[in-house]
């Protein structure tokens, strides 16, 4: 059990693990494409350190998160703003892609035989949503009354706000809060957290860091290969 979450120190399992693995693999392909063509990465985590990391550094950090969240033999890492931002990045990437799917469909970009492409990221998110988030929505409906939009929500919905809420529900299973974004909100924290602020926020110098791993080219290539060849069977080894 290797990641400290609101549900305890654990690894992701079953459809939750499948979703995270696929999200990381899709995200790393996106990052490499942007790196190759020299384009700006459009997905931000809110952590100024991770967001400004090089492609090689992001590859190594994403692999570290994949290992910690899916491999029970990996020791629980000390969480920092950079590491949590790396773990959050795949969720932010999927959110961006879902919004893009919806916008492109409205603009008529997809052909009739391109449904798999048109709904790819919504289909990816649907299974973990149904298992882990939908029961909470249904409980809220029973307590507070039916929400017509939520009741009509389905795998092909073009309601981005509800997809955003669905991803938030998945995020709540992994992250306590969004502490890593404090590096952008209050960048002075990267120079050290004083006792008064630590008492208020719960943050300390162990969590807030302005350091990124020094990565050799061969280390980045190894991380890329490991991410792309990771399977569910690998997760259970």
């Amino acid at each position: 059990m290797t990641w400290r979450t609101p549900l305890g120190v654990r690894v992701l399992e079953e459809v939750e693990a499948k979703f995270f693995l696929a999200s990381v693999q899709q995200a790393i392909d996106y990052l490499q494409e942007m790196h190759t063509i020299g384009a700006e990465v459009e997905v931000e985590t809110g952590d100024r350190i991770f967001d400004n990391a090089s492609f090689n550094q992001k590859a190594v950090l994403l692999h570290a998160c994949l290992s910690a969240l899916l491999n029970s033999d990996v020791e629980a890492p000390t969480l920092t703003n950079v590491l949590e931002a790396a773990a959050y990045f795949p969720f932010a990437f999927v959110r961006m892609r879902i919004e893009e799917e919806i916008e492109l469909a409205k603009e008529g970009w997809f052909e009739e035989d391109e449904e798999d492409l048109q709904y790819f990221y919504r289909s990816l998110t649907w299974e973990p949503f149904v298992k882990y988030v939908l029961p909470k929505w249904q409980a809220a409906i029973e307590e507070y009354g039916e929400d017509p939009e939520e009741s009509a929500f389905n795998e092909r919905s073009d309601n981005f706000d509800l997809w955003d809420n669905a991803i938030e529900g998945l995020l709540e299973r992994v992250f306590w809060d969004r502490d890593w974004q404090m590096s952008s909100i209050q960048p002075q924290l990267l120079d050290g957290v004083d006792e008064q602020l630590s008492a208020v926020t719960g943050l300390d110098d162990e969590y807030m860091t302005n350091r990124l791993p020094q990565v050799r080219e061969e280390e980045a290539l190894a991380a890329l290969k490991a991410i792309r060849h990771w399977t569910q069977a690998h997760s259970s080894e």
Side-chain angles (χ1 to χ4, degrees):
M1 300 195 175
T2 63
W3 196 275
R4 297 175 180 85
T5 78
L7 302 179
V9 180
R10 67 189 184 98
V11 291
L12 307 184
E13 298 179 332
E14 300 177 348
V15 297
E16 193 173 25
K18 178 182 175 183
F19 168 79
F20 187 72
L21 172 59
S23 299
V24 172
Q25 290 173 331
Q26 292 293 323
I28 200 66
D29 285 347
Y30 164 77
L31 285 172
Q32 185 162 46
E33 180 183 359
M34 295 299 101
H35 174 67
T36 300
I37 66 177
E40 184 176 347
V41 173
E42 298 179 358
V43 184
E44 293 187 344
T45 67
D47 176 57
R48 61 191 299 150
I49 306 303
F50 177 84
D51 289 339
N52 286 290
S54 69
F55 167 69
N56 284 352
Q57 288 169 328
K58 287 179 178 177
V60 168
L61 287 165
L62 282 170
H63 178 251
C65 292
L66 189 63
S67 299
L69 277 162
L70 297 191
N71 190 340
S72 59
D73 292 331
V74 174
E75 184 178 352
T78 299
L79 296 183
T80 67
N81 53 300
V82 173
L83 195 61
E84 284 204 297
Y88 170 74
F89 182 84
F91 293 92
F93 169 76
V94 170
R95 176 190 281 121
M96 179 197 74
R97 285 304 202 206
I98 289 177
E99 184 173 24
E100 187 178 72
E101 283 180 351
I102 293 170
E103 290 176 353
L104 291 177
K106 290 179 178 178
E107 294 172 5
W109 280 67
F110 298 105
E111 301 293 338
E112 289 185 3
D113 61 350
E114 292 183 321
E115 288 189 351
D116 289 347
L117 180 62
Q118 179 176 344
Y119 298 103
F120 180 85
Y121 289 96
R122 281 172 280 186
S123 297
L124 176 66
T125 307
W126 184 253
E127 189 175 8
F129 161 76
V130 168
K131 185 172 180 64
Y132 300 113
V133 182
L134 181 58
K136 291 186 176 182
W137 287 21
Q138 292 172 332
I141 289 174
E142 291 178 3
E143 182 173 357
Y144 301 109
E146 183 174 7
D147 182 323
E149 291 187 350
E150 286 189 0
S151 298
F153 187 58
N154 60 67
E155 191 173 352
R156 296 191 171 189
S157 171
D158 63 358
N159 187 327
F160 175 70
D161 289 339
L162 290 183
W163 284 110
D164 192 33
N165 290 341
I167 292 174
E168 283 297 315
L170 296 175
L171 285 167
E172 289 173 359
R173 296 176 53 82
V174 180
F175 304 100
W176 293 91
D177 42 39
R178 304 288 174 84
D179 282 339
W180 63 87
Q181 296 182 347
M182 294 295 288
S183 66
S184 295
I185 298 171
Q186 297 191 48
Q188 69 272 21
L189 293 178
L190 295 169
D191 295 325
V193 183
D194 61 41
E195 292 183 5
Q196 184 176 1
L197 188 58
S198 179
V200 173
T201 63
L203 303 179
D204 56 30
D205 290 337
E206 186 177 7
Y207 178 79
M208 298 300 300
T209 179
N210 57 14
R211 298 181 65 86
L212 286 165
Q214 294 184 356
V215 178
R216 299 190 304 274
E217 187 71 22
E218 56 268 28
E219 291 176 315
L221 290 174
L224 283 171
K225 182 178 180 181
I227 290 172
R228 288 183 171 133
H229 290 83
W230 196 295
T231 64
Q232 288 297 93
H234 184 176
S235 301
S236 60
E237 289 179 355

